Structures are given as C-alpha cells and as structure tokens.
Amino acid sequence: MPLVEKIAGQVRARFAAESSGHDWHHIERVWRPARRIGAAEGADSEVVQLGALLHDIADWKFHGGDEQVGPREAARLLQAEGVAASVVEAVVDIVATISYKGAGVATPMRSLEGACVQDADRLDALGAIGIARCFAYGGHAGRLLHDPDTPPVLHATAEAYKTGRGGSLNHFYEKLLLLKGRMNTASGRAIAEERHRYMEGFVSQFLAEWRGTDSTEDGR
Ligand code: ADP
Ligand code: NI
C-alpha cells in the first residue's frame, strides 16, 4: 500500500472517536485542499499530504499543553514505515509549527509545503464549518456561547492565548476573523475571503439576536 494511504488509515483509526472539532473528517477536509493548494503552488505532494494527515496527531490542547507530543508522534509513525529522514524532518517541521498561537504571535512556516498545509488547516477554521467547530470546541472546553462581560483579547504571547477564557464568540475576534490576513498562498486567500464574509454576517446576526435588535417588533 502506498505510504500516504497507509498513514491515512492509521490516522483515521486514531481519530475515530474524537468529537471536539478534531476528528477524521477535519483531517480529510484539510488533506483534500492541501493537495490542491500544494499542486497549484508546486509543492512536494508527499510531504504536503503527510503533513496534512499528521498535523493534529497530538494537539497540545489535549496533552496538557505539551507541544512536543505531536511532532514526536508524527516522527514515530513515519519512522515505523521506514520513511526517509529528509521527509520525516520536513513533515515534523510542519506539525511543530502549524498552530495558531494568538493574534500577536507570528507563526511563519519554514517550507512551501508547510505554507500549503497551514492554509488548508486554517480554511477549515473558517466559514460555516469554522463556526460549527468553534462552538463545538467551546462546548467541549466548557465555554459559554458568548460572555459579554469578558471582552476579546488580542493575545501577545502563545501562553496568554492558551490560557485565555471567555465565550466562544470571542474566538472570532481572537482568531477566526484574523486568519484571512494571515494566509500564505493566493489560492488559500481567495477561499478565505469568501468564508470570512460569511462569518462576518454570522457574527453581526448573532449579536443582533443577542441584543434583540434583529426583530422589527423590537421596542414594542
Ligand atoms: P486547527 O485544527 O484548525 O489548527 P485548533 O486546533 O486551534 O484549530 O482548534 C480546533 C478548532 O477549535 C478550530 O476550529 C478552532 O478555531 C477552534 N477553537 C480553538 N480554540 C478555541 C476557543 N478558545 N474557542 C472556540 N473555538 C476554538
Ligand atoms: Ni487542524
């Protein structure tokens, strides 16, 4: 069996029971566009696909904040398949650097392949699915849908971002609406812009309903 398919099967089995917004379907929704963006950008297809498949293999949010678990696990899986050291290194680098770490924290990718995978991952945080994932994660983490008493924070450090609280709606201001301006590739940016507009509409409708200003019957 080709390497990419083999790793895909392993990742799929591992993610079968995950419901926090990180599930096999998220991986698939990153894998497909990553392949397409990678082809448009002239990136190495094997590294792009392995990076997409393994990018969330052990997210720090679910391992007590340990950011090394993911890269280590990715390396272990690839080495077990006898993958060339240069490919392992390229994929591990993607897994180690892909994450969003706060509004004020730059997260540059060190390779073209990484840039493509990061864009594909970020696209899945946007649009209708991005909205659904935000509230799914918020519920999982015990957050309110919206907490008007806790304003959004443009986190200056990864540490502050990780420990931040507040309602899920804050996440739009702290991450989701900022992603459009942080896309790496032209093809990724075009899709991001469409999904961004959709989310802006959602947020303004959400707040109008919250305040009761969406209804013409308001004020009776
Ligand atoms: P990704 O898999 O796109 O890298 P993350 O691992 O950061 O994203 O988070 C998984 C999903 O949960 C994403 O859609 C993300 O935007 C969302 N999410 C992360 N942190 C929060 C939060 N504090 N509140 C609400 N949603 C969040
Ligand atoms: Ni992801």
Side-chain angles (χ1 to χ4, degrees):
M1 190 193 289
L3 173 67
V4 169
E5 270 67 42
K6 206 163 178 186
I7 295 293
Q10 294 177 9
V11 173
R12 183 178 188 145
R14 293 262 291 246
F15 278 76
E18 174 64 57
S19 65
S20 64
H22 279 101
D23 50 50
W24 165 249
H25 300 290
H26 165 61
I27 306 300
E28 256 192 327
R29 289 192 310 267
V30 174
W31 184 16
R32 211 177 334 109
R35 213 161 31 197
R36 206 169 48 232
I37 294 171
E41 299 291 322
D44 181 278
S45 175
E46 186 174 62
V47 170
V48 164
Q49 294 191 66
L50 292 173
L53 286 167
L54 292 168
H55 83 275
D56 273 336
I57 194 68
D59 194 300
W60 55 263
K61 287 195 287 322
F62 306 102
H63 290 86
D66 185 350
E67 290 180 20
Q68 297 315 308
V69 179
R72 234 176 12 234
E73 189 57 14
R76 197 184 64 74
L77 288 173
L78 294 173
Q79 280 157 358
E81 300 301 329
V83 175
S86 60
V87 173
V88 176
E89 202 182 310
V91 175
V92 165
D93 188 58
I94 293 174
V95 178
T97 54
I98 191 167
S99 271
Y100 183 81
K101 297 187 177 68
V105 185
T107 44
M109 297 306 283
R110 284 187 281 249
S111 66
L112 175 61
E113 288 72 23
C116 297
V117 179
Q118 188 180 57
D119 275 11
D121 187 35
R122 289 182 168 178
L123 286 175
D124 202 49
L126 302 180
I129 288 177
I131 293 168
R133 291 182 72 215
C134 173
F135 292 104
Y137 178 83
H140 182 82
R143 291 177 186 246
L144 295 172
L145 296 181
H146 178 38
D147 174 8
D149 298 329
T150 309
V153 180
L154 297 178
H155 302 103
T157 66
E159 198 40 53
Y161 175 67
K162 285 185 201 177
T163 53
R165 292 301 302 166
S168 291
L169 198 75
N170 282 3
H171 193 60
F172 286 85
Y173 301 100
E174 295 173 351
K175 174 184 174 186
L176 306 184
L177 292 170
L178 305 176
L179 292 180
K180 172 176 74 98
R182 297 170 68 141
M183 299 299 288
N184 303 304
T185 67
S187 36
R189 199 171 304 117
I191 306 170
E193 277 167 9
E194 245 173 76
R195 295 187 184 183
H196 181 91
R197 277 195 293 276
Y198 183 85
M199 287 194 303
E200 276 185 330
F202 169 82
V203 170
S204 68
Q205 173 72 15
F206 184 105
L207 290 172
E209 290 178 17
W210 189 276
R211 297 182 187 121
T213 54
D214 64 312
S215 162
T216 49
E217 292 165 21
D218 190 53
R220 276 191 312 179

